[in-house]
Amino acid sequence: LLASVSVMLPERNQDVSPWVVLVVLGYPVLETLYSILRKTVRKGARPGSADTAHLHHLLYRYLRRTVRGTNAVRFANPSVSALLWGAIVTSLVFVLLAPHTRAWALPATAIQAAFYLSAYHAATARLRRPGRRRQRNA
């Protein structure tokens, strides 16, 4: 459905640049492109191979590690969804408020990519830090 609308919207509305579609679908497109690059360049793996290094996986592991108590842990997955839906809604707000031109859409896509990369690298850096673990008495 998204692919069909993404093709039909600029085709049927000459005022809408095809680049605006890239802003609307910014997070999924960036996640896919970065995953392909990460797998092929860094790991030498096939681009379609499964892994758990996507942004939503990293955020989930970080929240599971930092949240204390069994009752709070069950909210880690919905919290990640809320965070990522926030990123998607932000791109939709940009599209609603800005002109639908290529001159606007390309910088907006670059800003989205910068935010995605900074969030990804911040999540990986926080996961690399040793967490607070109980020390055993010898």
Side-chain angles (χ1 to χ4, degrees):
L1 180 64
L2 286 175
S4 298
V5 171
S6 298
V7 171
M8 289 188 311
L9 180 67
E11 184 65 31
R12 292 184 180 181
N13 300 302
Q14 299 301 321
D15 295 340
V16 177
S17 169
W19 291 99
V20 172
V21 174
L22 186 60
V23 176
V24 173
L25 299 175
Y27 171 71
V29 169
L30 288 168
E31 177 74 42
T32 303
L33 291 175
Y34 191 70
S35 295
I36 290 170
L37 288 174
R38 178 177 39 81
K39 291 174 190 177
T40 56
V41 173
R42 289 187 187 168
K43 295 181 180 179
R46 294 183 332 220
S49 61
D51 68 356
T52 58
H54 297 279
L55 181 59
H56 57 278
H57 289 124
L58 299 174
L59 292 174
Y60 176 75
R61 283 200 306 265
Y62 175 71
L63 287 175
R64 287 289 305 251
R65 190 172 84 174
T66 57
V67 172
R68 302 288 182 224
T70 57
N71 207 20
V73 168
R74 70 179 195 188
F75 293 110
N77 197 28
S79 298
V80 170
S81 297
L83 287 171
L84 295 180
W85 275 105
I88 293 169
V89 168
T90 302
S91 66
L92 292 176
V93 169
F94 286 152
V95 169
L96 290 174
L97 297 178
H100 299 139
T101 62
R102 182 177 54 170
W104 172 85
L106 291 176
T109 303
I111 291 169
Q112 282 181 321
F115 277 126
Y116 173 82
L117 291 173
S118 64
Y120 189 91
H121 291 294
T124 55
R126 290 187 187 263
L127 283 172
R128 281 190 207 122
R129 286 187 209 153
R132 290 185 227 163
R133 296 185 183 175
R134 295 180 188 169
Q135 294 180 355
R136 298 169 111 177
N137 293 335

